[in-house]
Amino acid sequence: MTWGKTGVSIGVVLALCGGLGGCATIAAGQCVDWVPLSPAEQEREASLVVDADLRSTDRTVEALGRYRVREAVITGVRKGHTPDDRIDVIATSDQCTSSGEPVEYVDGDPLAEPGSYRLYLTQQQAGGAWRLVVPGAAERLDDRRG
């Protein structure tokens, strides 16, 4: 009987330690399971939808990970409004993020290439940059011209 109770006690202690270790890991970073959205759903969920010419900057913002900031020069507003014709934009990561570390993307940063995009955005808290409503919520417009 004593060994049975001791075994259960050891199991509970190990489970608690493992759980607390997991909590510490979660507190240091964040994993989000994004729900894929169709373009119509992206537009519904976004507070701002714009066509814009994107340019790289040397700036980053911290939002549960270090994001590269792009400058978007607005060429058309499809939904919402912005007080300026230029806004800062970050591409939402599709990977787990860790505070202070650069974010990663499965198929690369969808805004890495300068050019014209339709962006489905929501306001980001940290740094004042707008972020894609879900990973990949950007449509390259350059490809439609030609």
Side-chain angles (χ1 to χ4, degrees), residues 28-29 60-67 97-103:
T60 60
V61 294
E62 174 66 29
L64 297 175
R66 196 167 58 238
Y67 284 87
T97 60
S98 296
S99 293
E101 297 296 319
V103 297

Side-chain angles (χ1 to χ4, degrees), residues 83-140:
D84 202 352
D85 62 346
R86 295 174 190 263
I87 59 173
D88 289 337
V89 175
I90 60 174
T92 306
S93 175
D94 54 4
Q95 295 292 292
C96 294
T97 60
S98 296
S99 293
E101 297 296 319
V103 297
E104 296 180 1
Y105 304 90
V106 170
D107 295 320
D109 183 343
L111 303 179
E113 295 295 318
S116 295
Y117 291 84
R118 177 157 300 140
L119 304 170
Y120 301 87
L121 302 166
T122 188
Q123 183 71 41
Q124 177 62 35
Q125 305 302 331
W130 291 81
R131 70 168 172 83
L132 298 180
V133 70
V134 293
E139 179 183 342
R140 182 109 177 161

